[in-house]
């Protein structure tokens, strides 16, 4: 079973940069204990200063955020590709070594466990949204 957790933070600043024709986003955040950090991702998911966020992660997967829930905009994004939407690669067992040589393979950085991990992130996101809905009702 895949273990997924969430970290509640407040966005300090959100930036949108363009690098080599790709749009990159950078979000600086502050945890409840005052520690600050940042995360980088690509895609059309905006975050502004002051937004209340839940960052989804797994303790067993280092250096990868799995998703973001933005309670201020009521939107979320799951960074883990679903098995169905994932590209097919000729050597699936070699995805990690090939990531360095072929950056476009990063979409499959989670390898064969992506279906279970994708589902675990979706379930965690839904629980967070349900909890938030009950608190505001």
């Amino acid at each position: 079973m895949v273990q997924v957790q969430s970290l509640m933070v407040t966005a300090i600043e959100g930036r949108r940069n363009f690098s080599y024709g790709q749009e990159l986003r950078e979000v600086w955040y502050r945890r409840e204990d005052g520690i600050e950090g940042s995360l980088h991702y690509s895609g059309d998911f905006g975050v502004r200063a002051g937004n209340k966020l839940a960052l989804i992660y797994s303790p067993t997967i280092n250096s990868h955020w799995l998703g973001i829930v933005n309670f201020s905009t009521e939107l979320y994004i799951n960074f883990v590709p679903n098995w169905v939407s994932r590209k097919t690669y000729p050597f699936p067992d070699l995805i990690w070594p090939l990531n360095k040589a072929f950056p476009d393979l990063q979409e499959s950085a989670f390898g064969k466990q992506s279906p279970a991990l994708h589902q675990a992130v979706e379930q965690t996101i839904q629980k967070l949204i349900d909890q938030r809905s009950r608190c505001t009702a």
Side-chain angles (χ1 to χ4, degrees), residues 3-45:
Q3 185 182 13
V4 178
Q5 299 177 359
S6 62
L7 175 67
M8 302 303 290
V9 300
T10 301
I12 300 171
E13 184 178 358
R15 298 179 187 163
R16 184 172 71 173
N17 302 313
F18 293 92
S19 177
Y20 299 102
Q22 183 180 16
E23 181 179 25
L24 300 174
R25 303 246 180 196
E26 179 181 22
V27 175
W28 285 86
Y29 60 86
R30 180 177 294 122
R31 298 183 345 192
E32 292 177 358
D33 59 5
I35 295 175
E36 295 181 358
S38 69
L39 69 113
H40 304 266
Y41 60 94
S42 61
D44 191 23
F45 184 79

Side-chain angles (χ1 to χ4, degrees), residues 73-89:
T73 61
E74 298 181 356
L75 298 173
Y76 74 87
I77 186 169
N78 185 343
F79 294 129
V80 182
N82 194 353
W83 186 264
V84 177
S85 64
R86 193 176 70 115
K87 294 179 184 175
T88 303
Y89 297 104

